[in-house]
Amino acid sequence: MTITTTGQDTATANVPLTARDRKSNLHALDVEKIRQDFPILQQRINGRPLAYLDNAATTQKPRAVIDALQHYYARDNANIHRGVHELSVRATEGYERARTIVQRFLNAADPREIIFTRGTTEAINLVAASYGRKHIGPGDEIIVSAMEHHSNIVPWQLLCEQTGARLRVIPINDDGEILLDAYDALLTPRTRLVAVVHLSNVLGTINPVHEIIQRAHRHGVPVLVDGAQSAAHLPVDVQALDCDFYAFSGHKVFGPTGIGVLYGKAALLREMPPYQGGGDMISRVSFEGPTYKDIPYKFEAGTPNIAGVIGLGVALEYVNRIGLERIAAYEHELLDYATRSLLAIPQVRLIGTAKAKASVLSFVLAGAHPHDIGTILNQMGVAIRTGHHCAQPVMDRFGVPATARASLAFYNTTADIDALVAGIHKVLEVFG
Amino acid sequence: MTSELQDLYQELILDHYKRPHNQRHLDDADHQAEGYNPLCGDRVSVYLKLDGNRIKEVAFQGAGCAISTASASMMTDALKGKTVEEVRELFDKFHALVTGRLENPEAGPDLGKLEVFAGVSQYPVRVKCATLAWHTLEAALEQRGGVVSTE
Ligand SMILES: Cc1ncc(COP(=O)(O)O)c(C=O)c1O
């Protein structure tokens, strides 16, 4: 076990890694110091220190993000892109600065490829409504995987109902890995779009999205990547991946709720029709008809969540200061530790045992239902999620009505995992 | 166990969870319904055989967590021989018990063993588990089609 909780301050200073760091201790995070940045983690629940292990549902916010929201409303609040006054200039600058932060975070080629949405769900709905309306018709096919979140299933089902297209599903194996041969067989001249999750919120599987994208592109088919979980746990480079769309949610990367991002390749976005109509997305309206603005504004109708955008930018800068490479390495070790700890309990069955995994541990316990596990763990100060995790097809695939899910972030420690394990022993005591 | 947990997971509840009563299909049921709790994915089917206005036989299948399984099991024990009106009064009182709104425990029907579910009122997210079988029973009595949902 080489997770260290002390050492050089890597959390708040942008210290370049030395050669030694890179070789031996890349993942060394000063987690105790990082935890000080998260006020919510400082509390006790039912008399015990809070062990927050529900990060796949939503992440906690560092002080910097909370302060940025407060600062914005206390000092800079105004509408954007339309005022001549000082406050409007500040709000607009803050908003557009955040767009370039997101651009760099994803390594997008151009800030205009970054569209702000309410979250992953709205980003996917945008593509389904706009790209779908233009390019998808009767007899066409859309491919998703068997491990998708409902938000990467239902928008496509709606589109299929409206257009007469068909949804095809890539099967997964018992470890929770996509079957690439079966995927190949699904790619046909009828395929119009592939939409897959990067990192599964139930199984923790890291999908080979680069491979999936390359194979789709050989058929001239664009690919949407659901990055709701990956954005906070894996370095993402949309140009290297060559994905056509990538969606993520601010609240799952330590930012505010109600804000998210759709990345799309400029060429695709430009020829897509607008998603919603309203102010800010047109350059001229007359009753003869509107003239739309260029991207990204064409897709940002109405007054957006300005504070949320600014808060998201601050959250991503916070993540950048620690570094996603480091975060991924640290979380990988923590996941290993957690996996070994859970597997040491004979009654535990892990759901999701892919070779490439990150940050998520779903499990069921012989003799105890996930709902009861959740209640007892809560009593011990441990916050996990239980249920179907908005992915009922995955539950059906593994033949369980629900799972208990512990999901990690870089502020979690082995102490959190130990509290989880102690809680599971308590469950076994009650139900033994 | 902490005392709060003991209040919820009473011995009797754990017993019924591990060895539920009347957990089977009733082949000659004249009323039945299916209930679903989307929060935990639990499903329960309730089967009834009435003799006029009186419950002659009652059974269930499914459920899932300790609270919903024990509740279904103990419900079936409590119902046998009761009239439909008595069942409704009992559910009203049980509902008040698990939601912490039971003002006068003396008034109305005797809850009997069902009183062990009082601890549920401290866990608002678990109320739906305790009432799933009862809502399903209600639907069966009314012969409503489809699946009742706790949402
Ligand atoms: C894989 C995945 N996709 C999509 C979503 C939807 O995200 P949001 O609710 O923020 O729109 C989630 C959230 O749980 C998720 O885990």
Side-chain angles (χ1 to χ4, degrees), chain A residues 376-400:
Chain A
I376 293 173
L377 288 179
N378 177 61
Q379 210 60 41
M380 315 266 298
V382 180
I384 61 156
R385 170 128 183 230
T386 66
H388 55 57
H389 317 292
C390 297
Q392 284 175 332
V394 184
M395 300 296 111
D396 296 343
R397 170 66 179 76
F398 287 89
V400 292

Side-chain angles (χ1 to χ4, degrees), chain A residues 2-26:
Chain A
T2 47
I3 293 172
T4 52
T5 51
T6 55
Q8 81 184 95
D9 171 12
T10 52
T12 47
N14 199 357
V15 189
L17 294 176
T18 65
R20 208 195 103 260
D21 285 332
R22 246 182 237 116
K23 240 173 60 209
S24 64
N25 234 357
L26 177 80

